[in-house]
Amino acid sequence: MQPKNVINLAFFILFLALSSNAEALVKKSKSGICHDTYSANYTQTKNYESFSTLQSCLDSGGDLPKNYKGNSQATKSSLHKTDSSIKDSRKQFESEWVEQDGDCRNFRMKKLIKFSWSQVQFKSSKKCEVKSGKWLSLFTGEVINNVSEVDIDHFVPLAWAWKHGAHSWSKAKRVEFANDPANLLSVEASLKRQRDDKDIDKWLPPKYKCKYITRFLKLQKSYALEVSKTEAVRFKELKNTYCR
């Protein structure tokens, strides 16, 4: 075989190897969905951020495709561990929400009192539980009087923070983050459930979108929460769109 043919054959083999490796990459779409070769939309996903494993894509803040069914037992075990870790993370954050200062009010009651624009009414003379007050929702600008319709939410969701770096924090820093006044707000309980653990790319409030995006990004940077290149681009696009 002539030297030129040998060189061409070597390049061809290298091309096949690279193509094979590229095909095995996990693709994280612009919408934040992690597609591996078991995903029905793997081939159709053209604009994506590459990851070497499904786990690393999920750890970056990505989500699984709807009705995903990977057939690797190792993958299933790894994903189950991730879901479990996220649930455990909420416990690690929220277990510190009871302030041990001698009274009967838990974290929620203390914050309801603090955020109320008027003097709150209590359910009993013991003044342990709030019955009513006046809270301004930063999601809608509406005033909420019924305590059952208001909730204290985290601006940056705990589970989102966990996946973006809080899992490596000390317990003290997680407690600080969960109790940081800048990361707390009073909102409609229904909207809190609607938002769940979504970031600004997946959910925005009905009003005050610019303020919401700006505050989210400020907290993300303040606590050095890690975001992927795709997330950083999307967040910048959102700010440019709503904060003109």
Side-chain angles (χ1 to χ4, degrees):
M1 184 178 291
Q2 297 181 2
K4 183 177 181 180
N5 291 334
V6 171
I7 294 174
N8 289 339
L9 179 60
F11 274 114
F12 180 70
I13 293 173
L14 178 61
F15 172 78
L16 290 177
L18 291 174
S19 298
S20 176
N21 288 337
E23 187 66 20
L25 290 174
V26 175
K27 304 175 180 179
K28 184 179 178 182
S29 67
K30 285 189 174 182
S31 59
I33 304 301
C34 297
H35 298 282
D36 65 0
T37 53
Y38 297 114
S39 169
N41 295 319
Y42 183 82
T43 304
Q44 293 92 324
T45 304
K46 302 299 182 182
N47 298 318
Y48 58 86
E49 182 178 359
S50 301
F51 291 86
S52 58
T53 65
L54 181 60
Q55 188 64 57
S56 61
C57 183
L58 293 171
D59 288 343
S60 75
D63 295 316
L64 286 173
K66 188 176 181 180
N67 300 322
Y68 173 84
K69 294 182 180 179
N71 62 5
S72 167
Q73 189 59 42
T75 298
K76 290 179 181 178
S77 174
S78 181
L79 295 179
H80 176 74
K81 182 178 180 180
T82 299
D83 291 340
S84 176
S85 296
I86 293 172
K87 290 178 181 178
D88 289 344
S89 76
R90 294 192 184 101
K91 294 180 181 179
Q92 292 184 53
F93 283 112
E94 296 175 351
S95 63
E96 303 300 324
W97 274 35
V98 178
E99 299 179 10
Q100 304 294 340
D101 57 4
D103 65 21
C104 58
R105 298 170 188 165
N106 62 19
F107 178 92
R108 170 176 161 77
M109 293 302 128
K110 292 179 186 294
K111 297 308 176 184
L112 285 172
I113 295 170
K114 181 177 180 179
F115 281 105
S116 179
W117 283 29
S118 64
Q119 186 172 354
V120 301
Q121 300 298 313
F122 293 95
K123 292 183 178 181
S124 70
S125 58
K126 292 182 180 181
K127 298 184 177 181
C128 296
E129 296 185 58
V130 175
K131 178 182 179 181
S132 62
K134 185 178 181 180
W135 299 276
L136 177 66
S137 168
L138 296 185
F139 283 176
T140 64
E142 299 293 329
V143 174
I144 311 169
N145 299 111
N146 191 333
V147 71
S148 65
E149 296 176 359
V150 66
D151 216 336
I152 304 300
D153 198 10
H154 288 95
F155 226 98
V156 176
L158 300 181
W160 188 91
W162 178 265
K163 292 192 294 182
H164 288 75
H167 61 276
S168 63
W169 292 352
S170 66
K171 183 177 180 181
K173 187 172 181 179
R174 288 197 295 269
V175 172
E176 175 191 349
F177 179 78
N179 290 275
D180 186 346
N183 195 29
L184 294 169
L185 69 166
S186 56
V187 296
E188 291 88 347
S190 59
L191 287 179
K192 177 185 176 181
R193 291 192 296 270
Q194 184 185 106
R195 188 191 73 156
D196 194 30
D197 298 326
K198 301 179 182 70
D199 62 27
I200 55 177
D201 189 28
K202 296 183 176 66
W203 189 91
L204 289 173
K207 295 184 179 180
Y208 311 121
K209 290 180 174 61
C210 176
K211 290 183 179 180
Y212 181 79
I213 292 169
T214 302
R215 186 165 167 181
F216 185 99
L217 294 178
K218 184 176 181 180
L219 284 162
Q220 175 256 314
K221 291 179 181 178
S222 176
Y223 282 90
L225 291 165
E226 303 166 358
V227 295
S228 66
K229 291 181 180 179
T230 301
E231 287 174 316
V233 170
R234 285 292 299 133
F235 291 170
K236 185 177 180 180
E237 290 175 347
L238 285 167
K239 187 173 182 179
N240 291 338
T241 298
Y242 294 101
C243 298
R244 294 179 178 179

Short mmCIF file of all heavy atoms in Angstrom, two decimals, residues 59-95:
data_model
loop_
_atom_site.label_atom_id
_atom_site.label_comp_id
_atom_site.label_asym_id
_atom_site.label_seq_id
_atom_site.Cartn_x
_atom_site.Cartn_y
_atom_site.Cartn_z
N ASP A 59 -26.61 16.81 36.35
CA ASP A 59 -25.97 17.57 37.42
C ASP A 59 -25.81 19.05 37.05
O ASP A 59 -25.69 19.91 37.93
CB ASP A 59 -24.59 16.99 37.75
CG ASP A 59 -24.69 15.65 38.47
OD1 ASP A 59 -25.78 15.35 38.99
OD2 ASP A 59 -23.70 14.90 38.48
N SER A 60 -25.80 19.34 35.75
CA SER A 60 -25.67 20.73 35.31
C SER A 60 -26.99 21.48 35.39
O SER A 60 -27.06 22.67 35.08
CB SER A 60 -25.17 20.77 33.87
OG SER A 60 -26.19 20.41 32.95
N GLY A 61 -28.06 20.77 35.79
CA GLY A 61 -29.37 21.40 35.88
C GLY A 61 -30.35 20.93 34.82
O GLY A 61 -31.48 21.42 34.75
N GLY A 62 -29.93 19.96 33.98
CA GLY A 62 -30.81 19.46 32.93
C GLY A 62 -31.88 18.52 33.46
O GLY A 62 -31.79 18.03 34.59
N ASP A 63 -32.89 18.28 32.64
CA ASP A 63 -33.99 17.37 33.00
C ASP A 63 -34.06 16.23 32.00
O ASP A 63 -33.59 16.34 30.87
CB ASP A 63 -35.33 18.13 32.99
CG ASP A 63 -35.38 19.20 34.06
OD1 ASP A 63 -34.96 18.92 35.19
OD2 ASP A 63 -35.83 20.32 33.76
N LEU A 64 -34.70 15.14 32.41
CA LEU A 64 -34.91 14.01 31.52
C LEU A 64 -36.06 14.29 30.56
O LEU A 64 -36.98 15.03 30.90
CB LEU A 64 -35.23 12.75 32.33
CG LEU A 64 -34.09 12.10 33.09
CD1 LEU A 64 -34.61 10.97 33.96
CD2 LEU A 64 -33.04 11.58 32.13
N PRO A 65 -36.04 13.67 29.37
CA PRO A 65 -37.18 13.81 28.45
C PRO A 65 -38.42 13.18 29.08
O PRO A 65 -38.33 12.30 29.94
CB PRO A 65 -36.74 13.01 27.21
CG PRO A 65 -35.25 12.91 27.33
CD PRO A 65 -34.95 12.87 28.79
N LYS A 66 -39.57 13.66 28.67
CA LYS A 66 -40.82 13.10 29.17
C LYS A 66 -40.92 11.63 28.76
O LYS A 66 -40.60 11.27 27.64
CB LYS A 66 -42.00 13.89 28.60
CG LYS A 66 -43.34 13.51 29.22
CD LYS A 66 -44.44 14.40 28.68
CE LYS A 66 -45.79 14.04 29.31
NZ LYS A 66 -46.88 14.91 28.79
N ASN A 67 -41.33 10.79 29.70
CA ASN A 67 -41.48 9.34 29.47
C ASN A 67 -40.16 8.67 29.10
O ASN A 67 -40.14 7.69 28.35
CB ASN A 67 -42.52 9.07 28.37
CG ASN A 67 -43.89 9.61 28.73
OD1 ASN A 67 -44.30 9.54 29.88
ND2 ASN A 67 -44.59 10.15 27.75
N TYR A 68 -39.05 9.20 29.63
CA TYR A 68 -37.74 8.61 29.34
C TYR A 68 -37.65 7.21 29.93
O TYR A 68 -38.05 6.95 31.06
CB TYR A 68 -36.65 9.49 29.94
CG TYR A 68 -35.27 8.88 29.85
CD1 TYR A 68 -34.51 9.01 28.69
CD2 TYR A 68 -34.73 8.16 30.92
CE1 TYR A 68 -33.25 8.45 28.60
CE2 TYR A 68 -33.48 7.61 30.83
CZ TYR A 68 -32.73 7.74 29.68
OH TYR A 68 -31.47 7.19 29.60
N LYS A 69 -37.10 6.28 29.13
CA LYS A 69 -36.95 4.90 29.58
C LYS A 69 -35.58 4.38 29.12
O LYS A 69 -35.46 3.76 28.08
CB LYS A 69 -38.06 4.01 29.02
CG LYS A 69 -39.44 4.35 29.56
CD LYS A 69 -40.49 3.41 28.99
CE LYS A 69 -41.87 3.77 29.54
NZ LYS A 69 -42.93 2.88 28.99
N GLY A 70 -34.56 4.69 29.89
CA GLY A 70 -33.23 4.16 29.59
C GLY A 70 -33.19 2.68 29.96
O GLY A 70 -33.81 2.28 30.95
N ASN A 71 -32.48 1.87 29.20
CA ASN A 71 -32.48 0.44 29.50
C ASN A 71 -31.20 -0.01 30.18
O ASN A 71 -30.91 -1.20 30.26
CB ASN A 71 -32.69 -0.39 28.22
CG ASN A 71 -31.57 -0.17 27.20
OD1 ASN A 71 -30.60 0.51 27.48
ND2 ASN A 71 -31.73 -0.76 26.02
N SER A 72 -30.42 0.94 30.69
CA SER A 72 -29.21 0.59 31.43
C SER A 72 -29.49 0.63 32.92
O SER A 72 -29.92 1.63 33.47
CB SER A 72 -28.09 1.58 31.10
OG SER A 72 -27.03 1.44 32.01
N GLN A 73 -29.25 -0.49 33.58
CA GLN A 73 -29.52 -0.56 35.02
C GLN A 73 -28.63 0.41 35.78
O GLN A 73 -29.05 1.01 36.77
CB GLN A 73 -29.27 -1.99 35.53
CG GLN A 73 -29.73 -2.21 36.97
CD GLN A 73 -31.22 -1.94 37.14
OE1 GLN A 73 -32.03 -2.33 36.29
NE2 GLN A 73 -31.59 -1.27 38.21
N ALA A 74 -27.39 0.59 35.29
CA ALA A 74 -26.48 1.53 35.95
C ALA A 74 -27.02 2.94 35.87
O ALA A 74 -26.96 3.70 36.82
CB ALA A 74 -25.10 1.44 35.30
N THR A 75 -27.56 3.29 34.70
CA THR A 75 -28.12 4.62 34.53
C THR A 75 -29.31 4.83 35.44
O THR A 75 -29.46 5.85 36.08
CB THR A 75 -28.55 4.83 33.06
OG1 THR A 75 -27.41 4.74 32.22
CG2 THR A 75 -29.18 6.20 32.88
N LYS A 76 -30.18 3.82 35.52
CA LYS A 76 -31.37 3.93 36.37
C LYS A 76 -30.96 4.12 37.82
O LYS A 76 -31.54 4.92 38.54
CB LYS A 76 -32.22 2.66 36.23
CG LYS A 76 -32.90 2.51 34.88
CD LYS A 76 -33.70 1.23 34.82
CE LYS A 76 -34.37 1.05 33.47
NZ LYS A 76 -35.12 -0.21 33.38
N SER A 77 -29.96 3.36 38.23
CA SER A 77 -29.50 3.46 39.61
C SER A 77 -28.94 4.85 39.89
O SER A 77 -29.21 5.45 40.92
CB SER A 77 -28.41 2.41 39.87
OG SER A 77 -27.86 2.57 41.15
N SER A 78 -28.19 5.39 38.94
CA SER A 78 -27.59 6.71 39.10
C SER A 78 -28.64 7.79 39.16
O SER A 78 -28.58 8.69 39.99
CB SER A 78 -26.63 6.98 37.93
OG SER A 78 -26.03 8.24 38.08
N LEU A 79 -29.66 7.68 38.28
CA LEU A 79 -30.72 8.67 38.26
C LEU A 79 -31.53 8.62 39.54
O LEU A 79 -31.93 9.64 40.08
CB LEU A 79 -31.63 8.44 37.06
CG LEU A 79 -30.98 8.63 35.69
CD1 LEU A 79 -32.00 8.35 34.60
CD2 LEU A 79 -30.42 10.02 35.54
N HIS A 80 -31.79 7.42 40.04
CA HIS A 80 -32.54 7.28 41.28
C HIS A 80 -31.78 7.94 42.42
O HIS A 80 -32.37 8.62 43.27
CB HIS A 80 -32.76 5.80 41.58
CG HIS A 80 -33.44 5.57 42.89
ND1 HIS A 80 -34.78 5.81 43.08
CD2 HIS A 80 -32.97 5.14 44.10
CE1 HIS A 80 -35.12 5.52 44.33
NE2 HIS A 80 -34.05 5.13 44.97
N LYS A 81 -30.48 7.78 42.40
CA LYS A 81 -29.66 8.39 43.44
C LYS A 81 -29.74 9.90 43.36
O LYS A 81 -29.80 10.58 44.37
CB LYS A 81 -28.20 7.92 43.27
CG LYS A 81 -27.26 8.46 44.34
CD LYS A 81 -25.87 7.93 44.13
CE LYS A 81 -24.92 8.47 45.20
NZ LYS A 81 -23.54 7.97 45.01
N THR A 82 -29.74 10.44 42.13
CA THR A 82 -29.84 11.89 41.96
C THR A 82 -31.17 12.40 42.49
O THR A 82 -31.23 13.40 43.21
CB THR A 82 -29.71 12.26 40.46
OG1 THR A 82 -28.44 11.83 40.00
CG2 THR A 82 -29.85 13.76 40.27
N ASP A 83 -32.29 11.75 42.12
CA ASP A 83 -33.59 12.18 42.61
C ASP A 83 -33.65 12.15 44.12
O ASP A 83 -34.20 13.03 44.76
CB ASP A 83 -34.69 11.26 42.04
CG ASP A 83 -34.86 11.46 40.54
OD1 ASP A 83 -34.43 12.51 40.05
OD2 ASP A 83 -35.40 10.56 39.89
N SER A 84 -33.08 11.08 44.70
CA SER A 84 -33.08 10.95 46.15
C SER A 84 -32.28 12.06 46.80
O SER A 84 -32.67 12.62 47.81
CB SER A 84 -32.49 9.58 46.54
OG SER A 84 -32.38 9.47 47.93
N SER A 85 -31.13 12.41 46.18
CA SER A 85 -30.28 13.46 46.72
C SER A 85 -31.00 14.80 46.74
O SER A 85 -30.88 15.58 47.67
CB SER A 85 -28.99 13.58 45.90
OG SER A 85 -28.24 12.39 45.99
N ILE A 86 -31.77 15.07 45.67
CA ILE A 86 -32.51 16.33 45.59
C ILE A 86 -33.56 16.40 46.69
O ILE A 86 -33.74 17.42 47.33
CB ILE A 86 -33.16 16.48 44.20
CG1 ILE A 86 -32.06 16.65 43.15
CG2 ILE A 86 -34.08 17.69 44.17
CD1 ILE A 86 -32.58 16.62 41.74
N LYS A 87 -34.27 15.29 46.91
CA LYS A 87 -35.28 15.27 47.96
C LYS A 87 -34.62 15.45 49.32
O LYS A 87 -35.11 16.18 50.17
CB LYS A 87 -36.05 13.95 47.90
CG LYS A 87 -36.95 13.81 46.69
CD LYS A 87 -37.64 12.47 46.66
CE LYS A 87 -38.53 12.33 45.43
NZ LYS A 87 -39.19 11.01 45.36
N ASP A 88 -33.48 14.78 49.51
CA ASP A 88 -32.77 14.92 50.77
C ASP A 88 -32.28 16.34 50.96
O ASP A 88 -32.21 16.84 52.08
CB ASP A 88 -31.58 13.96 50.81
CG ASP A 88 -32.02 12.51 50.95
OD1 ASP A 88 -33.19 12.29 51.31
OD2 ASP A 88 -31.20 11.62 50.66
N SER A 89 -31.93 17.00 49.87
CA SER A 89 -31.42 18.36 49.97
C SER A 89 -32.46 19.30 50.55
O SER A 89 -32.15 20.19 51.32
CB SER A 89 -30.97 18.87 48.60
OG SER A 89 -32.09 19.22 47.79
N ARG A 90 -33.72 19.12 50.17
CA ARG A 90 -34.78 19.96 50.71
C ARG A 90 -34.86 19.80 52.23
O ARG A 90 -35.05 20.78 52.95
CB ARG A 90 -36.12 19.59 50.06
CG ARG A 90 -36.19 19.89 48.57
CD ARG A 90 -37.62 19.76 48.07
NE ARG A 90 -37.71 19.95 46.64
CZ ARG A 90 -37.81 18.97 45.76
NH1 ARG A 90 -37.83 17.73 46.17
NH2 ARG A 90 -37.88 19.22 44.47
N LYS A 91 -34.69 18.58 52.69
CA LYS A 91 -34.73 18.32 54.12
C LYS A 91 -33.56 19.03 54.81
O LYS A 91 -33.70 19.58 55.89
CB LYS A 91 -34.68 16.82 54.40
CG LYS A 91 -35.91 16.06 53.91
CD LYS A 91 -35.78 14.58 54.22
CE LYS A 91 -36.99 13.80 53.73
NZ LYS A 91 -36.87 12.36 53.99
N GLN A 92 -32.40 18.99 54.16
CA GLN A 92 -31.23 19.62 54.76
C GLN A 92 -31.39 21.13 54.86
O GLN A 92 -30.96 21.75 55.83
CB GLN A 92 -29.98 19.29 53.92
CG GLN A 92 -29.59 17.83 53.99
CD GLN A 92 -28.31 17.55 53.23
OE1 GLN A 92 -27.30 18.20 53.46
NE2 GLN A 92 -28.34 16.58 52.35
N PHE A 93 -32.02 21.73 53.86
CA PHE A 93 -32.29 23.16 53.91
C PHE A 93 -33.41 23.46 54.89
O PHE A 93 -33.28 24.27 55.78
CB PHE A 93 -32.73 23.66 52.53
CG PHE A 93 -31.63 23.85 51.55
CD1 PHE A 93 -31.53 23.02 50.44
CD2 PHE A 93 -30.69 24.86 51.70
CE1 PHE A 93 -30.52 23.20 49.50
CE2 PHE A 93 -29.68 25.05 50.77
CZ PHE A 93 -29.60 24.21 49.67
N GLU A 94 -34.55 22.80 54.71
CA GLU A 94 -35.77 23.18 55.40
C GLU A 94 -35.84 22.70 56.84
O GLU A 94 -36.63 23.20 57.62
CB GLU A 94 -36.98 22.67 54.62
CG GLU A 94 -37.08 23.34 53.25
CD GLU A 94 -38.18 22.78 52.39
OE1 GLU A 94 -38.77 21.75 52.78
OE2 GLU A 94 -38.44 23.35 51.33
N SER A 95 -35.00 21.73 57.19
CA SER A 95 -35.02 21.26 58.58
C SER A 95 -34.54 22.35 59.53
O SER A 95 -34.75 22.27 60.73
CB SER A 95 -34.13 20.01 58.73
OG SER A 95 -32.79 20.35 58.44
#
